[in-house]
């Protein structure tokens, strides 16, 4: 499981790839998370907008979700990865309401806590 995850919006893949070794720094507004799997989180967020449900999806459904986030840079053995969110997720996030984001965040954190046994 990844330790420090930084989500940020880059203008294009080339700009995102340039952050690989140094991170987004102050050039981009960002949100830092800890101890999550970014690719499965992205898949779950995409699923939330494509197939809304009051219930959190089972992990097996998340792992089977497509499209899975794509690498912007080739993964190396240093633990650093740069992903691109699926286009439909980027559009959905840009067009969502605060209430929908709060609902997604609530459902997602509830599932994460239940997996960790901290509910």
């Amino acid at each position: 499981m990844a330790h420090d995850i930084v989500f940020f919006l880059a203008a294009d893949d080339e700009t995102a790839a340039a952050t690989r070794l140094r991170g987004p720094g102050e050039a981009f507004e960002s949100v830092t998370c800890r101890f999550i799997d970014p690719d499965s989180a992205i898949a779950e967020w995409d699923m939330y907008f494509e197939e809304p449900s009051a219930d959190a999806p089972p992990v097996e459904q998340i792992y089977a979700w497509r499209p899975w986030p794509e690498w912007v840079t080739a993964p190396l053995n240093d633990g650093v990865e740069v992903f691109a969110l699926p286009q439909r997720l980027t559009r959905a996030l840009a067009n969502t309401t605060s209430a929908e984001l709060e609902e997604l965040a609530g459902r997602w954190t509830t599932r994460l806590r239940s997996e960790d046994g901290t509910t």
Side-chain angles (χ1 to χ4, degrees), residues 101-111 113:
L101 287 176
E102 286 180 28
E103 182 179 335
L104 170 58
R107 186 181 83 176
W108 183 58
T109 55
T110 297
R111 187 187 61 73
R113 287 184 181 128

Side-chain angles (χ1 to χ4, degrees), residues 83-97:
F83 291 107
L85 276 73
Q87 291 264 337
R88 69 180 180 205
L89 176 57
T90 302
R91 283 191 298 274
L93 288 168
N95 294 316
T96 194
T97 65

Side-chain angles (χ1 to χ4, degrees), residues 56-77:
V59 173
E60 298 79 22
Q61 186 178 0
I62 294 169
Y63 291 149
W65 188 253
R66 297 293 177 257
W68 201 252
E70 294 182 15
W71 284 297
V72 173
T73 60
L76 300 175
N77 201 20

